[in-house]
Amino acid sequence: MNKAIFWDLLGTLGGNSKTLIKDFEFFDHSIESLKKARENDYLNILVTNQSTIGHGKIGLTEYENYLEKMRKLLHNNDCDFDEVYTCPHRRIDNCECKKPKVKMITQAKDKFNIDLVSSFVIGDTIKNDMLLANNAGINGILVLTGEGNEELSNFHKNINEPHFFRIEKDALSAIEYICKVSRSLYKN
Ligand SMILES: [Mg+2]
Ligand SMILES: [Zn+2]
């Protein structure tokens, strides 16, 4: 079976939750993070909510063109996503794919034969990404870039319980942590 990192895009690998795909730029550490995941035998799978498509702010074809451009940049740096899953719907469409629902994960799991227990979701929101991890039975790591900091302080304000996910500064420290634990797990 394979293991995977399910990456959130906005606020996790670049930009923030309000960034339009046409303005998206990777953080300085993002490409290194994706490469590190690959070197440690994790598939890099992007799972992104893009309700701007459903709201008609950008056409699907236009979105796909920007996505292609983004992946070309990754290619030029000797990396890429193994697969990209996009939910184009609005919240009120009540689709099955919008995070924190798990359809994008189960599609990837079936396609790539992924062992979810040894996989991770890395994202900057609790309401979408960490709940997605929880719903799918995957380890979640909240990064403090994008909305991460704000999400975390709201969480602690409202809920008097320990959180059910790990917290890391950014995508790179998240992947470094994952490499460290997976090495110690599989060491004989
Ligand atoms: Mg995000
Ligand atoms: Zn959807």
Side-chain angles (χ1 to χ4, degrees), residues 4 13 26 28 31 54 60 65 68 73 93 97 103 120-122 124 133 143-144 153 157 160 166 174 180 184:
L13 290 172
F26 285 106
D28 287 342
I31 287 175
L60 189 58
N65 288 341
E68 217 33 61
L73 188 139
D93 295 329
C97 42
K103 188 175 174 186
F120 292 81
V121 171
I122 301 178
D124 70 318
V143 290
L144 298 180
S153 56
K157 234 180 276 168
N160 230 345
R166 188 180 170 83
K180 201 173 70 191
S184 65

Side-chain angles (χ1 to χ4, degrees), residues 8-12 124-125 129:
D8 170 54
L9 183 65
L10 302 179
T12 301
D124 70 318
T125 66
D129 304 313

Side-chain angles (χ1 to χ4, degrees), residues 33-46:
S33 307
L34 293 170
K35 282 186 172 177
K36 203 164 217 112
R38 164 46 54 89
E39 285 160 17
N40 285 272
D41 301 323
Y42 287 91
L43 297 168
N44 283 314
I45 296 180
L46 185 66

